[in-house]
Amino acid sequence: MKPGKKSKGSKGLRIQTGELKGRLIPSPVSPEGKSNFTPAIIKKSLFDIIESLQLQGRLNLEDAAFVDLFAGSGQMGIESLSRGFARAVFLELAWDRFESLKGVLDKLGKPHLVLRKDAFRFYSGFDIPEKTKVYFMDPPYSFWDKKTEKLKNVVEEIAQNEPGVAAIIVQSPLPLNWEGFTPRSFGRNTLNVRVLA
């Protein structure tokens, strides 16, 4: 974890904005000793994009779900709940992170769906009532070495076949030249945005 990202005496990050502002999100440390948190500037930019869609009348958070396919600590989905999304959907395959995330979400008492599923296979068709969805994908950066085509295929399947998708946002180490995506780079991180609404 980068300096300045960790709250003193805690293992995690705090919610930046909204109803849950200040709440701590713990993060289990991986066997490699890593806590893969999204940098604050990336988080701010992502929710600025979402706010812009709201202002344009292309997204209504009161009837929208935020879908995080590689949830990890769950910080992005929990931030989305704090900022007004009706529901957040979390997919996390690692057992320790899944269990930790379940515990955190149960305490928050916000509408959510958390699944221990492989995002490459279970990326759509969720049993949720919301009409619109924003998809967020931040797979481990090691995936980009060998699984770029698989990630691209998931995105294309979502864009073409999943109803009610307002936007797909992919975080990656480098800009993606995928059809319909606009990259926004911040140092060693890039947000790639495809608006469908």
Side-chain angles (χ1 to χ4, degrees):
M1 187 179 295
K2 295 179 181 178
K5 297 298 180 191
K6 188 174 180 180
S7 300
K8 188 175 182 181
S10 65
K11 293 181 180 178
L13 282 181
R14 294 191 184 278
I15 298 293
Q16 290 182 336
T17 303
E19 185 182 343
L20 303 173
K21 183 177 179 179
R23 289 285 193 99
L24 181 70
I25 306 171
S27 177
V29 177
S30 71
E32 297 81 26
K34 297 176 181 176
S35 296
N36 185 27
F37 280 128
T38 298
I41 191 169
I42 294 285
K43 188 188 296 187
K44 181 181 184 306
S45 180
L46 184 148
F47 286 103
D48 284 349
I49 292 164
I50 288 170
E51 184 176 353
S52 176
L53 292 175
Q54 286 180 266
L55 293 172
Q56 295 169 30
R58 300 165 90 173
L59 180 64
N60 175 17
L61 295 193
E62 293 180 358
D63 196 18
F66 185 93
V67 182
D68 189 347
L69 293 183
F70 298 87
S73 67
Q75 66 157 328
M76 300 302 282
I78 295 171
E79 189 81 34
S80 77
L81 291 171
S82 183
R83 292 171 183 248
F85 272 82
R87 184 181 312 271
V89 179
F90 304 82
L91 269 70
E92 177 52 50
L93 193 56
W95 183 258
D96 60 342
R97 290 180 181 267
F98 169 76
E99 285 294 318
S100 174
L101 187 51
K102 271 205 317 181
V104 171
L105 289 165
D106 287 345
K107 290 177 185 175
L108 292 179
K110 292 282 189 180
H112 66 273
L113 177 64
V114 57
L115 302 168
R116 186 170 176 260
K117 298 281 188 183
D118 182 352
F120 287 113
R121 297 173 58 206
F122 300 96
Y123 48 79
S124 64
F126 304 112
D127 184 19
I128 56 175
E130 287 73 27
K131 292 181 180 178
T132 57
K133 308 172 196 78
V134 171
Y135 272 81
F136 176 64
M137 293 175 58
D138 178 19
Y141 277 13
S142 60
F143 281 19
W144 292 102
D145 293 335
K146 296 180 179 179
K147 299 183 179 181
T148 301
E149 282 305 309
K150 286 183 73 174
L151 291 164
K152 184 178 181 181
N153 289 341
V154 167
V155 166
E156 287 304 317
E157 285 290 325
I158 292 168
Q160 293 174 18
N161 299 319
E162 181 70 2
V165 179
I168 303 171
I169 305 172
V170 182
Q171 184 178 331
S172 63
L174 294 170
L176 301 174
N177 61 351
W178 296 354
E179 182 181 353
F181 279 87
T182 302
R184 304 180 184 198
S185 294
F186 304 86
R188 290 177 290 178
N189 302 283
T190 300
L191 278 183
N192 306 273
V193 183
R194 181 172 177 178
V195 177
L196 297 163

